[in-house]
């Protein structure tokens, strides 16, 4: 820019220069103004001059500015409240020298900027060029200058470019006219270009940048390997781990991916190839943004290879073992920091076999969702122990975050895991708070942690209170790990007393609602003897029932049967009287009021009597002789005795078929006309009295009749 050379303008400059020095309490002077004359497509120099300046490091919002200008023909000024000013076209001379400066004013005083001088013909800004076209091999862009509108030739031009999605432009390159070749080109990449130019003879200011011009480079075969991972959470279908991968970036894909080839490996079986088209995701391929999952069962498969395919080629197969990840023996210490859009994690590296680590994998999964939902991961280098994932994280929602080490062979091991929340709230009620065991002076309380999908924050600890006779205590119990049940032992309680206990989970947001339970301590300390006696009693009863069931122990061994006692019958009492009266052996019918079995008194007798159902005898004489030698049994509390009976006393007695025993109903009937008959039958051993099953239970034996 040219400077003013007239003497009168120099004097004005010297006057204003005295105000440029910084004085205490005055505002800092603004920068010298920058001015240009924009080009008008309809008519050149039809607009005035635009000027702008910087307010300085201590600019005050209440300051006001005055733009001053002076030329060989005219002076002027205008007040503005911002940092731009405009000199009207009627105040501008064509092809003349001008000087411009700015004065700042505030409550603390005023200050003046430096002076900018120029020739109005040299501050014209030409229109930006127009990019017309481009070529692919090599990649070049072409443009046309509009300096001819100013009747000037095209001067030098500047070019800048960037590849999407980058936001930073490359360094400006100078010295081009009409064409720019891009030397380093990545396939299937969108490049953005901008150009600006100046005019020559005389030189002008640089034009504005052109609008962005976009060019997509030619496609090529994809490169590298896909980022493949798995979600091995148990699903209701039990189809094994779900295979997942991320779509290739444009620099990797280098063209449109037409599909994927998945090869599943099984032990002792040939591998299975699965072709999945990428153009039409359906039942077998589910994609959500940049992630895709394979909806094909991998149950029984030990590994998988995944390849992306395009019309120009395919990627290197990415191998992934499908067995569940192992666990690192040491290391971890996962630390999380989350908000609604970012999850940051840091951890300690493994203490052993660190040389085998190829990289780290950090994954998160929203609690309570099915496999592959609310799921994402990133891979980091082996020297990194921190990383961040971006996403839309919900408040009061639990996210399970895990860090894995990946070996050179592709095997993964769990290093550490933790639960994170974008924003925490108070948790819901503790579930299943109850009494596990009750003793004489102690009680064990147990509870289950709230499931992760229902938690609203990380449980720091539990508050447990107990209220009862002379007891009002509150305990601080650390939260159980890995959703395991929690327990608390209460001691030094009173026996046989009622108590109430409550529990509250505490997070960073504070304690949640309480859950209560009531209990009563035992009256006596039964101790270990009760625990031993109860199963022993059950065992004895079980063995006894088995023995009774198998007839090893007869029922008669445990209880006495009840059978009719013939000694209490009126019939047999009269027979006894006939036997005792003057040896009258002629039996006559005896009448009884009710000779029914129901009138007999039933008394218990020992089983031995029931089993003596036969009396051996070789004949009537031997039988009677044996009967007469027996002593008469006692009856009731007293006893009775009769005279001895000899064998001769039985002579003349009529026997019907020997001694014959019939049914009790035939022995004495209700009309008193029946005879007492005893059936004596001989057997192979020489004869004996046989009894039927009915007679064994209800009929008296011959010995009992004679005793009566």
């Amino acid at each position: 820019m040219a400077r003013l050379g007239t003497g009168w303008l120099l004097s004005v400059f010297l006057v204003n220069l005295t105000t440029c020095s910084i004085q205490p309490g005055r505002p800092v002077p603004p920068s010298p103004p920058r001015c240009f004359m924009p080009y008008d497509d309809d008519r050149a120099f039809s607009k005035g001059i635009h000027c702008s300046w910087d307010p300085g490091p201590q600019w005050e919002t209440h300051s006001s500015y005055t733009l001053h200008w002076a030329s060989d023909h005219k002076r002027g000024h205008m007040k503005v409240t911002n940092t731009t000013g405009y000199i009207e076209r009627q105040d501008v001379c064509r092809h003349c020298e001008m000087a411009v400066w700015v004065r700042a004013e505030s409550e603390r005083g005023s200050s003046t900027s430096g002076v900018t001088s120029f020739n109005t013909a040299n501050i014209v800004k030409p229109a930006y060029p127009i990019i017309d076209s481009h070529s692919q091999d090599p990649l070049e862009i072409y443009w046309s200058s509009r300096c001819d509108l100013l009747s000037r030739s095209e001067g030098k031009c500047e070019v800048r470019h960037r590849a999407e999605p980058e936001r930073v432009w490359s360094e400006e390159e100078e010295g081009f006219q009409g064409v720019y070749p891009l030397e380093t080109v990545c396939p299937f990449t969108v490049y953005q270009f901008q150009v600006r130019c100046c005019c020559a003879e005389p030189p002008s200011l640089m034009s504005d940048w052109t609008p962005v011009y976009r060019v997509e480079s030619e496609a090529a075969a994809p490169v590298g390997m896909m980022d493949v991972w798995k979600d091995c959470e148990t699903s209701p279908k039990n189809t094994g781990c779900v295979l997942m991968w991320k779509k290739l970036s444009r620099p990797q894909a280098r063209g449109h991916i037409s599909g994927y080839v998945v090869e599943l490996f099984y032990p002792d079986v040939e591998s299975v190839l699965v072709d999945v088209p990428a153009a039409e995701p359906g039942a077998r391929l589910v994609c959500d943004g940049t992630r895709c999952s394979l909806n094909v069962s991998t149950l029984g498969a030990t590994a998988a290879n995944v390849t992306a395919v395009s019309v120009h080629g395919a990627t290197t197969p990415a191998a992934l073992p499908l067995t569940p990840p192992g666990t690192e023996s040491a290391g971890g210490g996962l630390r999380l920091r989350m908000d609604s859009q970012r999850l940051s994690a840091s951890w300690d590296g493994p203490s052993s076999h660190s040389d085998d680590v190829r990289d780290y994998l950090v994954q998160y999964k929203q609690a309570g969702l099915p496999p592959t939902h609310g799921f994402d991961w990133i891979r980091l280098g082996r020297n990194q122990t921190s990383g961040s994932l971006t996403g839309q994280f919900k408040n009061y929602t639990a996210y399970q975050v895990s860090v894995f080490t990946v070996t050179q062979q592709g095997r993964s091991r769990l290093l550490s895991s933790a639960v994170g929340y974008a924003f925490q709230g108070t948790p819901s009620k503790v579930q299943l708070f109850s009494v596990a065991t009750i003793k004489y002076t102690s009680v064990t309380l147990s509870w289950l942690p709230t499931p992760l999908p229902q938690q609203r924050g990380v449980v720091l600890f539990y508050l447990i209170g107990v209220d009862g006779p002379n007891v009002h205590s509150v305990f601080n119990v650390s939260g159980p790990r890995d959703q395991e049940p929690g327990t608390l032992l209460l001691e030094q309680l009173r026996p046989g007393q009622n108590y109430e206990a409550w529990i509250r989970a505490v997070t960073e947001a504070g304690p949640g609602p309480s859950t209560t339970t009531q209990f009563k301590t035992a009256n006596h300390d039964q101790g270990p003897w009760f625990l031993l006696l109860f199963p022993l009693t059950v065992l004895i009863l079980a063995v006894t029932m088995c023995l009774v069931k198998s007839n090893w122990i007869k029922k008669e061994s445990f209880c006495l049967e009840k059978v009719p006692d013939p000694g209490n019958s009126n019939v047999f009492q009269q027979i006894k009287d006939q036997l005792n009266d003057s040896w009258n052996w002629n039996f006559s019918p005896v009448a009884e009021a009710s000779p029914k079995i129901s009138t007999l008194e039933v008394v218990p007798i020992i089983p031995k009597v029931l089993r003596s159902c036969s009396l051996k005898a070789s004949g009537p004489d031997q039988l009677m002789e044996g009967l007469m030698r027996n002593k008469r049994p006692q009856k009731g509390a007293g006893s009775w005795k009769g005279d001895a009976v000899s064998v001769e006393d039985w002579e003349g007695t009529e026997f019907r078929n020997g001694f014959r025993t019939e049914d009790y109903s035939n022995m004495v009937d209700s009309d008193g006309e029946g005879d007492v008959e005893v059936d004596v039958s001989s057997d192979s051993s020489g004869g004996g009295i046989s009894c039927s099953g009915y007679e064994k239970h209800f009929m008296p034996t011959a010995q009992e009749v004679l005793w009566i």
Side-chain angles (χ1 to χ4, degrees), residues 176-472:
F176 299 96
Q177 290 184 330
V179 60
Y180 173 76
L182 185 61
E183 297 180 356
T184 303
V185 180
C186 295
F188 197 59
T189 302
V190 177
Y191 290 95
Q192 297 179 356
F193 295 91
Q194 282 186 320
V195 181
R196 65 180 181 181
C197 300
C198 65
C199 298
E201 299 176 3
S204 66
L205 300 178
M206 277 288 183
S207 66
D208 292 332
W209 289 105
T210 62
V212 173
Y213 186 82
R214 300 174 72 253
V215 178
E216 182 179 272
S217 59
E218 291 183 334
V223 294
M225 293 189 300
M226 299 185 62
D227 187 358
V228 184
W229 190 230
K230 56 194 173 184
D231 187 357
C232 290
E233 181 180 343
T234 303
S235 62
K237 297 181 180 179
N238 192 22
T239 56
C241 296
V242 180
L243 194 61
M244 306 177 67
W245 60 80
K246 291 187 177 181
K247 295 180 180 180
L248 295 175
S249 62
R250 290 184 67 92
Q252 279 187 290
R254 307 206 304 178
H256 294 285
I257 300 300
S258 57
Y260 303 94
V261 177
V262 179
E263 185 176 11
L264 299 176
F265 297 92
Y266 299 86
D268 303 328
V269 180
E270 293 184 359
S271 60
V272 177
L273 291 177
V274 181
D275 293 327
V276 185
E280 299 178 0
R284 293 193 299 176
L285 184 64
V286 180
C287 294
D288 180 15
T290 60
R291 297 179 301 277
C292 295
S293 60
L294 181 67
N295 194 15
V296 174
S297 174
T298 61
L299 188 63
T302 58
N305 284 349
V306 183
T307 305
V309 181
S310 71
V311 295
H312 301 282
T315 60
T316 302
L320 179 71
L322 292 180
T323 54
T327 304
E328 288 285 359
S329 58
L334 182 59
R335 298 167 293 275
L336 301 178
R337 188 174 65 255
M338 292 183 65
D339 55 34
S340 60
Q341 296 182 345
R342 181 177 296 273
L343 186 156
S344 300
S346 60
W347 60 91
D348 301 326
S351 58
S352 61
H353 57 266
S354 58
D355 295 339
D356 193 34
V357 175
R358 185 185 67 193
D359 51 35
Y360 291 102
L361 187 142
V362 183
Q363 77 169 33
Y364 74 82
K365 181 174 179 61
Q366 182 178 338
L369 296 184
T372 73
H373 290 72
F375 188 94
D376 198 4
W377 73 93
I378 59 170
R379 293 182 183 270
L380 301 169
R382 57 175 298 177
N383 295 325
Q384 293 181 259
T385 56
S386 63
S388 299
L389 294 95
T390 57
Q392 299 297 325
F393 300 106
K394 300 179 180 179
N395 293 336
Y396 315 115
T397 303
Y399 290 87
Q400 186 74 39
V401 184
S402 303
V403 179
F404 299 88
T405 58
V406 183
T407 65
Q408 302 293 342
Q409 296 77 25
R411 299 185 180 90
S412 58
R413 290 189 292 261
L414 177 63
L415 181 64
S416 183
S417 63
V419 177
Y421 294 83
F423 186 81
Q424 299 193 48
T426 57
S428 57
K429 277 189 172 184
V430 178
Q431 298 182 353
L432 297 179
F433 181 55
S434 60
V435 177
T437 59
I438 299 180
K439 293 185 178 181
Y440 185 62
T441 59
S442 64
V443 168
T444 300
L445 301 175
S446 66
W447 67 93
L448 288 179
T450 304
L452 280 180
Q454 302 177 17
Q455 289 188 13
R456 296 164 58 87
V458 177
V459 176
L460 303 177
F461 56 89
Y462 292 92
L463 290 176
I464 301 178
V466 180
D467 298 321
N470 299 327
V471 175
H472 300 283

Side-chain angles (χ1 to χ4, degrees), residues 158-172:
E158 297 178 354
V159 180
R160 65 182 183 182
H161 63 84
R162 63 185 177 188
E164 294 182 354
E166 296 178 0
R167 299 196 175 194
V168 179
W169 292 98
S170 63
E171 293 184 2
E172 301 168 359

Side-chain angles (χ1 to χ4, degrees), residues 51-53 55 59 61 63-67 78-86 102-103:
C51 297
S52 61
W53 56 89
W59 175 65
T61 56
S63 299
S64 62
Y65 299 95
T66 303
L67 176 63
M78 65 176 302
K79 285 192 173 185
V80 295
T81 57
N82 51 24
T83 58
T84 59
Y86 181 73
V102 177
R103 184 179 182 84

Side-chain angles (χ1 to χ4, degrees), residues 456-535:
R456 296 164 58 87
V458 177
V459 176
L460 303 177
F461 56 89
Y462 292 92
L463 290 176
I464 301 178
V466 180
D467 298 321
N470 299 327
V471 175
H472 300 283
S473 302
V474 178
F475 302 91
N476 188 325
V477 182
S478 60
R481 299 183 60 186
D482 300 330
Q483 296 298 107
E484 296 179 353
T487 59
L488 175 64
L489 177 62
L490 302 177
E491 296 180 314
Q492 298 181 357
L493 303 178
R494 292 184 178 181
Q497 299 296 322
N498 294 316
Y499 293 89
E500 182 179 82
W502 54 266
I503 185 171
R504 304 176 72 179
V506 181
T507 65
E508 289 183 355
S514 62
T515 303
T516 61
T517 186
Q518 292 82 28
F519 61 89
K520 182 178 181 180
T521 54
N523 289 324
H524 299 285
D525 191 1
Q526 297 168 341
W529 289 107
F530 174 77
L531 301 178
L532 180 62
L533 182 59
F534 179 75

Side-chain angles (χ1 to χ4, degrees), residues 125-139:
K125 179 182 287 187
Y128 57 78
I130 298 176
I131 302 178
D132 302 311
S133 59
H134 68 276
S135 63
Q136 284 289 351
D137 191 16
L139 181 57

Side-chain angles (χ1 to χ4, degrees), residues 649-668:
D649 295 334
W650 288 88
E651 292 181 356
T653 303
E654 182 180 356
F655 292 92
R656 297 179 183 178
N657 297 326
F659 277 77
R660 181 171 174 267
T661 303
E662 295 184 10
D663 293 343
Y664 185 75
S665 60
N666 294 331
M667 184 175 181
V668 178

